[in-house]
C-alpha cells in the first residue's frame, strides 16, 4: 500500500471498500448542506474516510446549546463568534490535511444552491428545516445529482437515499411540508446526540458506498431509527416513485428552485431569532459598518461577521459579509426588519 | 389485531403510543384509532378522508398504494406505520 493510503489502511482492509474504493473516495466531491448536528458528524466521518473534496455550506454561527451534539465545535468557537462552516473547516483540516475542505458561510436558497452544487457528485442533508430539504430535492432533480435525506428529532431519526429520476424523491415520500407550528421541532421536542450520530452514520454509509462506485449496494430504503426505544425499521421505497405521480420528479415542478416557495426572512424557530435577508445581494464592508455602529452599542468583529449588542434594548444583531443578519431578541419579522433597516441599511 | 405506529412527535402536544386495533384495511384500522385520538383525524386525512400530503403510510414496510381510500389490506399481525418527515438536524 502506498504511503498516502496508509492513514486509510483499516478501511481499505475492509473487503467492501478495498484500495480501489478508497481511490474513488479520494476523487469524489461532496456538498454538505447545513453544518449543525447531522452536518458535523457527516463532515467528520467523510473527512476521516478520505473523501477528497468537501464543500460545507452553513448560514449560522456557533452557540452554547449546539455543543451537546454538534461534534466539531467547542467553547472557543463561541467566544470568537465563529461561523459554523469556518469553525468546522478548521477542525476538519487538523483531522485530515490531505483533502480539500471548502467552507461557505451562506444561506442556502434558490439563488445560492446552483453554484454550491457545481462539480458535486453527491449532496448530503445536514439541514434543520423542510424548506431547504425541498430546495435540495428540486436542485438535485434538476442536475441529476444523488442526495441523501436525513432528519432527526428527539431520539428518533430517518434517512433515505435519493437517485433523481430513478428512485423516489423527497416529494414522492412527502408531498408537502407540515403546516408551520403543527409538528415538533428540535427546539420544542429536543434532540439526543446519539440519535443524530446513528442517523448521520447511516447516511454516511450510503455516501461511502456511492462514492466508492457501488451504487448497486445502496438499498432503496427509508431507514427509521429510534435510539431510546432501540428500534430500527427499514421501509421499502423502491416502488414509491412509480406509484406516487410526483409533481416534482414526474411533473417537472420546481417550486423551491424557482423561488416560488421558501421565504426571504426566516423566523429561526424556538430561538427567539429572525434571519433577515439583505434587500440587495452584495458584499458588506464589515469594518466600515463596525465603525459606524460603535455609538449604537457594543460591537465585535471577525473576518466573517459583526456582532452588535444594542445598549438600551435586548437585541443582538449578527451581520454576515453577504449582508444577512440574524437578529436575536424577537420572533417578529416586522421588528427584525425595522432593526435591520435602522442599523444596517435598506 | 394490526398495530398502528406513529412517527414520534407527529403532532405537537399529542402523545400517540403504538396501538393495537381492529380492522382489515388501513382505513378501518385508522378509523378505530381516530375514535381514541380524534385530534389525529384532521391531521392525517383531509375532509374527503384522503391521506394528507405531509404524511405517508407503510404497511409491513411497504408504502400504501391507495392514498385516497386507504383500502390496502392489513393482516392480523401487520404493522401500519404512519410516517412524517422530520424537520430537525
Ligand atoms: Zn418525486
Amino acid at each position: 500500500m502506498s504511503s498516502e493510503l496508509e492513514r486509510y489502511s483499516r478501511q481499505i482492509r475492509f473487503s467492501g471498500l478495498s484500495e480501489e474504493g478508497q481511490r474513488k473516495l479520494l476523487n469524489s466531491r461532496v456538498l454538505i448542506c447545513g453544518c449543525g448536528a447531522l452536518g458535523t458528524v457527516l463532515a467528520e466521518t467523510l473527512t476521516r474516510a478520505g473523501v477528497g473534496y468537501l464543500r460545507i455550506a452553513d448560514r449560522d454561527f456557533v452557540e452554547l446549546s449546539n455543543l451537546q451534539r454538534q461534534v466539531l465545535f467547542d467553547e472557543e468557537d463561541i467566544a470568537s463568534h465563529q461561523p459554523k462552516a469556518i469553525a468546522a473547516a478548521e477542525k476538519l483540516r487538523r483531522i485530515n490535511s490531505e483533502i480539500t475542505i471548502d467552507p461557505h458561510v451562506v444561506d442556502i436558497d434558490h439563488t445560492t444552491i446552483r453554484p454550491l452544487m457545481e462539480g458535486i457528485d453527491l449532496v448530503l442533508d445536514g439541514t434543520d428545516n423542510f424548506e431547504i430539504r425541498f430546495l435540495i430535492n428540486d436542485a438535485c432533480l434538476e442536475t441529476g445529482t444523488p442526495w441523501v435525506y436525513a432528519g432527526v428529532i428527539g431520539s428518533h431519526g430517518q434517512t433515505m437515499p435519493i437517485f433523481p429520476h430513478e428512485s423516489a424523491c423527497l416529494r414522492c415520500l412527502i408531498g408537502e411540508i407540515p403546516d408551520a407550528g403543527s409538528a415538533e421541532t428540535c427546539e420544542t421536542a429536543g434532540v439526543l446526540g446519539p440519535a443524530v450520530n446513528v442517523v448521520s452514520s447511516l447516511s454516511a454509509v450510503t455516501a461511502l458506498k456511492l462514492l466508492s462506485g457501488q451504487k448497486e449496494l445502496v438499498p432503496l430504503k427509508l431507514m427509521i431509527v429510534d435510539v431510546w426505544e432501540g428500534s430500527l425499521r427499514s421501509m421499502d421505497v423502491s416502488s414509491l416513485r412509480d406509484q406516487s405521480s410526483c409533481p416534482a420528479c414526474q411533473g417537472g415542478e420546481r417550486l423551491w428552485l424557482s423561488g416560488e416557495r421558501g421565504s426571504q426572512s426566516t423566523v429561526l424557530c424556538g430561538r427567539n431569532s429572525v434571519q433577515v435577508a439583505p434587500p440587495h445581494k452584495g458584499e458588506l464592508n464589515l469594518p466600515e459598518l463596525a465603525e459606524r455602529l460603535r455609538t449604537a452599542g457594543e460591537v465585535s468583529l471577525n473576518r466573517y461577521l459583526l456582532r452588535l449588542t444594542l445598549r438600551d434594548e435586548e437585541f443582538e444583531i449578527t451581520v454576515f459579509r453577504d449582508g444577512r443578519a440574524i437578529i436575536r431578541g424577537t420572533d417578529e419579522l416586522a421588528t427584525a426588519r425595522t432593526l435591520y433597516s435602522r442599523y444596517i441599511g435598506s | 389485531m394490526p398495530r398502528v405506529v406513529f412517527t414520534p412527535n407527529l403532532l405537537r402536544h399529542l402523545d400517540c403510543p403504538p396501538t393495537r386495533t381492529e380492522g382489515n384495511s388501513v382505513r378501518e384500522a385508522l378509523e378505530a384509532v381516530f375514535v381514541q385520538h380524534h385530534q389525529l383525524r384532521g391531521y392525517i386525512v383531509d375532509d374527503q378522508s384522503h391521506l394528507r400530503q405531509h404524511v405517508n403510510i407503510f404497511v409491513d414496510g411497504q408504502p400504501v398504494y391507495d392514498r385516497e381510500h386507504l383500502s390496502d389490506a392489513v393482516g392480523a399481525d401487520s404493522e401500519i406505520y404512519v410516517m412524517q418527515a422530520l424537520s430537525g438536524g
Side-chain angles (χ1 to χ4, degrees):
Chain A
M1 192 182 299
S2 55
S3 62
E4 87 265 18
L5 291 183
E6 173 57 27
R7 66 187 300 146
Y8 309 117
S9 59
R10 296 306 184 273
Q11 81 183 19
I12 287 173
R13 251 170 246 172
F14 172 65
S15 61
L17 204 61
S18 78
E19 188 169 328
E20 190 196 343
Q22 183 65 53
R23 292 198 186 277
K24 286 183 178 158
L25 290 186
L26 284 163
N27 281 320
S28 3
R29 299 166 63 93
V30 171
L31 168 64
I32 299 180
C33 290
C35 194
L38 294 167
T40 50
V41 180
L42 286 166
E44 181 176 341
T45 307
L46 297 195
T47 294
R48 290 185 189 279
V51 169
Y53 178 99
L54 282 183
R55 189 174 292 157
I56 296 171
D58 192 280
R59 65 182 177 190
D60 216 343
F61 48 84
V62 184
E63 293 184 293
L64 190 60
S65 64
N66 300 150
L67 300 190
Q68 159 256 353
R69 66 198 179 285
Q70 303 188 11
V71 297
L72 291 174
F73 307 136
D74 59 36
E75 293 174 2
E76 275 178 35
D77 299 322
I78 299 170
S80 55
H81 307 315
Q82 284 293 305
K84 289 183 178 179
I86 302 299
E90 280 174 14
K91 305 282 158 53
L92 296 170
R93 287 177 184 134
R94 263 182 262 157
I95 293 169
N96 189 345
S97 60
E98 289 173 4
I99 61 165
T100 305
I101 308 288
D102 177 23
H104 292 253
V105 183
V106 64
D107 192 25
I108 303 172
D109 64 18
H110 72 284
T111 66
T112 57
I113 195 161
R114 282 173 190 267
L116 285 171
M117 282 183 57
E118 241 158 64
I120 288 298
D121 303 315
L122 171 69
V123 178
L124 295 178
D125 177 3
T127 69
D128 61 358
N129 70 85
F130 287 123
E131 299 283 356
I132 302 183
R133 290 194 175 98
F134 277 66
L135 174 67
I136 295 171
N137 193 59
D138 273 2
C140 287
L141 287 174
E142 196 63 24
T143 57
T145 314
W147 73 285
V148 185
Y149 154 71
V152 64
I153 287 180
S155 60
H156 187 75
Q158 304 167 344
T159 177
M160 182 175 101
I162 293 167
F163 301 107
H165 313 295
E166 289 174 42
S167 72
C169 81
L170 186 60
R171 284 188 78 192
C172 295
L173 179 68
I174 296 291
E176 223 353 297
I177 294 173
D179 290 340
S182 65
E184 298 271 22
T185 66
C186 288
E187 284 73 21
T188 59
V191 58
L192 282 183
V196 171
N197 294 354
V198 171
V199 171
S200 328
S201 295
L202 291 171
S203 173
V205 170
T206 300
L208 293 181
K209 285 182 181 172
L210 200 59
L211 298 171
S212 63
Q214 307 181 88
K215 181 181 164 190
E216 71 285 356
L217 296 184
V218 177
L220 296 179
K221 305 260 191 196
L222 165 70
M223 305 291 283
I224 300 181
V225 62
D226 192 303
V227 296
W228 202 255
E229 182 184 274
S231 66
L232 178 64
R233 290 179 169 84
S234 94
M235 305 300 184
D236 180 3
V237 293
S238 59
S239 64
L240 192 57
R241 181 169 189 270
D242 290 336
Q243 69 187 66
S244 75
S245 63
C246 170
C249 69
Q250 295 184 46
E253 195 176 81
R254 304 281 184 264
L255 293 179
W256 283 265
L257 190 60
S258 67
E260 213 170 303
R261 296 280 302 268
S263 65
Q264 289 299 300
S265 292
T266 318
V267 179
L268 301 176
C269 181
R271 280 177 47 183
N272 194 28
S273 298
V274 176
Q275 173 180 267
V276 180
H280 314 286
K281 294 261 166 191
E283 191 113 322
L284 273 185
N285 184 330
L286 292 181
E288 224 173 79
L289 182 63
E291 275 311 307
R292 188 153 64 76
L293 291 176
R294 294 218 186 272
T295 52
E298 191 188 318
V299 178
S300 60
L301 183 68
N302 64 27
R303 278 180 62 198
Y304 309 99
L305 59 83
L306 175 159
R307 169 82 44 88
L308 166 66
T309 310
L310 290 179
R311 280 227 173 83
D312 319 328
E313 294 161 279
E314 288 169 359
F315 296 112
E316 182 188 272
I317 304 178
T318 304
V319 192
F320 296 87
R321 281 202 309 225
D322 61 7
R324 273 181 313 118
I326 293 178
I327 297 174
R328 179 145 69 181
T330 181
D331 46 21
E332 301 279 331
L333 291 178
T335 308
R337 282 186 204 274
T338 304
L339 288 165
Y340 187 98
S341 50
R342 186 181 304 160
Y343 293 104
I344 302 159
S346 50
Chain B
M1 288 202 295
R3 185 165 180 259
V4 184
V5 181
F6 299 91
T7 295
N9 315 119
L10 182 74
L11 192 54
R12 209 177 278 192
H13 315 303
L14 188 65
D15 196 23
C16 293
T19 313
R20 291 259 171 217
T21 183
E22 300 290 338
N24 296 311
S25 68
V26 173
R27 159 80 53 213
E28 289 173 13
L30 282 183
E31 287 297 340
V33 173
F34 293 157
V35 171
Q36 299 163 48
H37 300 282
H38 52 94
Q39 312 96 301
L40 270 183
R41 174 190 291 277
Y43 191 70
I44 292 174
V45 296
D46 63 19
D47 46 16
Q48 284 153 41
S49 292
H50 299 167
L51 193 59
R52 283 198 186 275
Q53 289 285 316
H54 64 260
V55 286
N56 211 329
I57 295 182
F58 291 84
V59 177
D60 300 324
Q62 297 293 328
V64 286
Y65 268 89
D66 182 6
R67 291 182 62 100
E68 279 194 15
H69 305 104
L70 298 173
S71 60
D72 296 53
V74 297
D77 298 324
S78 286
E79 181 183 88
I80 301 168
Y81 193 92
V82 180
M83 165 288 155
Q84 170 167 283
L86 302 176
S87 70

